[in-house]
Amino acid sequence: MERRKFLTTAGVGAAATALAAPAIAQEAPSFAWRLTSGFPRTLDTIWGAAEVIAKICSDATDGKFQIQPFPAGEIVPNPEAVDAVSSNTVEMAHTCSYYYIGKDPTFALGTAVPFSLNARGMNAWLYERGGEDMLNTFYAKYNMIGFASGNTGVQMGGWWRKEINSVADLAGVKMRIAGLGGRVMEALGVVPQQIPGGDIYPSLERGTIDAAEWVGPYDDEKLGLNQVAPYYYYPGFWEGGPAIHTFINLDRWNELPASYQAILRSACATANQDMLAKYDARNPVALRSLVAGGAQLRAYPEDVLTAALTAANEIFTQISSENEDFKTIWESQTAFRNEHNLWNQVAEYTFDTFQIRNRPRG
Amino acid sequence: MERRKFLTTAGVGAAATALAAPAIAQEAPSFAWRLTSGFPRTLDTIWGAAEVIAKICSDATDGKFQIQPFPAGEIVPNPEAVDAVSSNTVEMAHTCSYYYIGKDPTFALGTAVPFSLNARGMNAWLYERGGEDMLNTFYAKYNMIGFASGNTGVQMGGWWRKEINSVADLAGVKMRIAGLGGRVMEALGVVPQQIPGGDIYPSLERGTIDAAEWVGPYDDEKLGLNQVAPYYYYPGFWEGGPAIHTFINLDRWNELPASYQAILRSACATANQDMLAKYDARNPVALRSLVAGGAQLRAYPEDVLTAALTAANEIFTQISSENEDFKTIWESQTAFRNEHNLWNQVAEYTFDTFQIRNRPRG
């Protein structure tokens, strides 16, 4: 606690210098901020985005704007990252907005809700259709501002001990899945379980749970789930293009010089693109390795997807009837999703279809 | 010419200050650079990336790192942008690498070659599979360094006055299409034509040409081509994920302080993502409008795509046999393309397929 206090005080001192400095000298002010990540170092791709942001901010200011990232739990208990940023215990967090749906389901829309946008659609909505501004109007209630800083792309649909041939096979299945994805699965008969990442393997091995979703091939491979649940389902329809956010305490943000704000925003945008590139580069290698290690790829049956879409729309409608923030943002996101899919189906989809079909030709 | 000389000299002066300054003071050095764009202002999305980069560099340095973008042809004749950067007539260009295949076909690989990567794949290859480094080894021969700074996504396959039902229908068709895409089409019987964007409409109207490719719905709509060539084909298989580059004279780049280099690189990455988001946000609106205005969407017949793929592979093999740079980079890009499509077909493609099919359900 001593250390935390010291650093926080140092940050405030630096900010005061920043306010006074421009009138008298060109010297750039110094900031030493702390960032709590929602992820452990072992998830190097998603954790790494915080390091990318910190490096750009430091490099761009000759080391004057320092951000020190800490893994989940090291300085702030992971479920409290948003509270820690709100209260200025730390200046920043890099985490998933949807971890905080317990406070307000609107937080889900900053990351992903079932059957929403893919990664490109999410970026177009965030940057060009007012998504980021709408989210920041909401985040301001928590004294935070947020910028998209990473995307995994469509996630996988999880590891199952048994095959799923229709909705009927879901009845009573205990699946590790959280959030609104869990609520949709629950509507289809699944019994959702909330289990930390590190406990997934033993839980599946002992049969305490029957299925578990994690991320995608690159992260999933590290958990070795193919050894205890051979059926690897896709797509993770509850996470079509999940955005990971950098949250910044709004007072600290407002104290930053405009130049540092510009640097941090550009760093977040860079990290956003960079994380997706990392997943896209690493997932194919991991997928091959998992299949070689016994993973059996299965697509979710069409009736499961269709029932899940119906359930999701009912859940969204119900939440919207009770929550004006959710309603406003969800309607914007859904309207753009429909437009995006209209365009996506023309040039992108037909190009990808041909490329995929002709892959064996090299 | 007076003006150009003045600004170039000013830039050199600023660079000299930059080299001397760090030892004596914290004061940040000033740079006033000029950027020649490969595009006119009317193509606001692709031209706009240069403005995005300039704004970030200025904002991040309190106006000390100034980049002034000029539209194509205003200070440098468009086909000479690379020469102008090589020779330091201007410090920067923002343009398509593949415009310069006349110098060396390897330039094509910095933007797109037929049946290569989509936008996400291109980023993953550039940033995570050594693509950017390989390209920069090549660009260094022209005393330049380049960073991806925009992507249009899969382009459309152009406007045709008549329908195409098979490869046979391509014989003798005069199509406005340049570069390696033109060479592939030529192998299928098309007579490729090189015509500036502004001349496409009258050429199609008069029947001087029978078909023309441009970009995608948002840019194409401005030319009004639906009024003179109703069949709007997709996908533009010669441009699956074309990257637009920022080229910087290598000596000027090396003179930049490390902090300005970090800012410029992050600005280019931000612009890269931003341009794709702009196209993704604007293309669906333009597509609806074009269809309402008489455009008739048509997919290229499968036999055209298959014959084009065969022709493309023959052309790539032939160029590779004569050009070591092309061979090295093309083999890297193609190897990753095959991996990318392996991963793409699992979670991404099935998610998109379901979303597209269920679009009418909202």
Side-chain angles (χ1 to χ4, degrees), chain A residues 40 43 176 194-203 212-214 223 225:
Chain A
L43 294 177
R176 187 263 182 196
Q194 303 220 20
I195 294 173
D199 295 342
I200 295 176
Y201 184 98
S203 300
E213 69 92 29
W214 185 229
L223 298 185
L225 303 183

Side-chain angles (χ1 to χ4, degrees), chain B residues 114-137:
Chain B
F115 301 105
S116 190
L117 293 154
N118 66 13
R120 273 177 57 173
M122 190 67 179
N123 282 342
W125 176 76
L126 284 166
Y127 297 130
E128 294 295 320
R129 289 300 182 98
E132 193 169 80
D133 290 343
M134 270 186 274
L135 287 172
N136 277 327
T137 300

Side-chain angles (χ1 to χ4, degrees), chain A residues 26-28 55-56 59-62 64 114-121 123-125 127-129 152-156 216-217 234-241 257-260 262-263 265-270 272-274 276-285 287-288 297 299 302 305-307 309-310 313 334 336-359 361-362, chain B residues 26-28 55-56 59-62 64 114-121 123-125 127-129 152-156 216-217 234-241 257-260 262-263 265-270 272-274 276-285 287-288 297 299 302 305-307 309-310 313 334 336-359 361-362:
Chain A
Q26 302 273 0
E27 195 163 334
K55 180 167 171 30
I56 292 171
D59 289 352
T61 59
D62 292 318
K64 293 199 183 320
F115 301 105
S116 191
L117 294 155
N118 66 14
R120 273 177 57 173
N123 282 341
W125 176 75
Y127 297 130
E128 293 295 320
R129 290 299 182 98
T152 64
V154 177
Q155 297 198 358
M156 289 292 283
Y234 60 87
F237 52 82
W238 49 91
E239 292 172 291
S259 57
Y260 289 20
I263 289 165
R265 285 192 77 147
S266 185
C268 290
T270 301
N272 193 26
Q273 179 172 258
D274 182 74
L276 189 59
K278 286 196 169 93
Y279 274 113
D280 281 341
R282 297 172 192 188
N283 275 330
V285 183
L287 184 67
R288 272 191 207 277
L297 289 171
E302 191 76 11
L305 294 176
T306 304
L309 175 58
T310 302
N313 284 337
T334 303
F336 182 65
R337 176 198 65 187
N338 296 345
E339 278 187 72
H340 179 65
N341 287 328
L342 172 78
W343 166 233
N344 194 30
Q345 83 182 84
V346 181
E348 293 289 341
Y349 189 78
T350 52
F351 181 76
D352 283 351
T353 300
F354 184 80
Q355 294 286 83
I356 288 167
R357 276 202 200 130
N358 286 277
R359 190 170 55 78
R361 290 184 61 200
Chain B
Q26 302 273 0
E27 195 162 336
K55 180 167 171 28
I56 292 172
D59 288 353
T61 60
D62 292 318
K64 294 199 182 317
F115 301 105
S116 190
L117 293 154
N118 66 13
R120 273 177 57 173
N123 282 342
W125 176 76
Y127 297 130
E128 294 295 320
R129 289 300 182 98
T152 65
V154 178
Q155 297 198 358
M156 289 292 283
Y234 60 87
F237 52 82
W238 49 90
E239 291 172 291
S259 56
Y260 289 20
I263 289 165
R265 285 193 76 147
S266 186
C268 289
T270 301
N272 193 26
Q273 180 173 257
D274 182 74
L276 189 59
K278 286 195 169 94
Y279 274 113
D280 281 342
R282 297 171 192 190
N283 274 331
V285 182
L287 183 67
R288 272 191 207 278
L297 289 172
E302 191 76 11
L305 295 176
T306 303
L309 175 58
T310 302
N313 284 337
T334 303
F336 181 65
R337 176 198 66 188
N338 296 344
E339 278 187 71
H340 180 65
N341 287 328
L342 171 78
W343 166 233
N344 194 29
Q345 82 183 86
V346 180
E348 294 288 341
Y349 189 78
T350 53
F351 181 77
D352 283 352
T353 300
F354 185 80
Q355 294 286 84
I356 289 167
R357 277 201 199 129
N358 286 276
R359 191 171 53 79
R361 290 184 61 199

Side-chain angles (χ1 to χ4, degrees), chain A residues 282-330:
Chain A
R282 297 172 192 188
N283 275 330
V285 183
L287 184 67
R288 272 191 207 277
S289 166
L290 284 166
V291 169
Q296 298 194 42
L297 289 171
R298 294 286 184 280
Y300 275 116
E302 191 76 11
D303 80 318
V304 168
L305 294 176
T306 304
L309 175 58
T310 302
N313 284 337
E314 285 169 8
I315 290 167
F316 299 148
T317 304
Q318 194 234 314
I319 298 173
S320 292
S321 73
E322 300 162 352
N323 187 315
E324 197 59 38
D325 288 330
F326 185 95
K327 182 172 190 288
T328 303
I329 302 175
W330 178 64

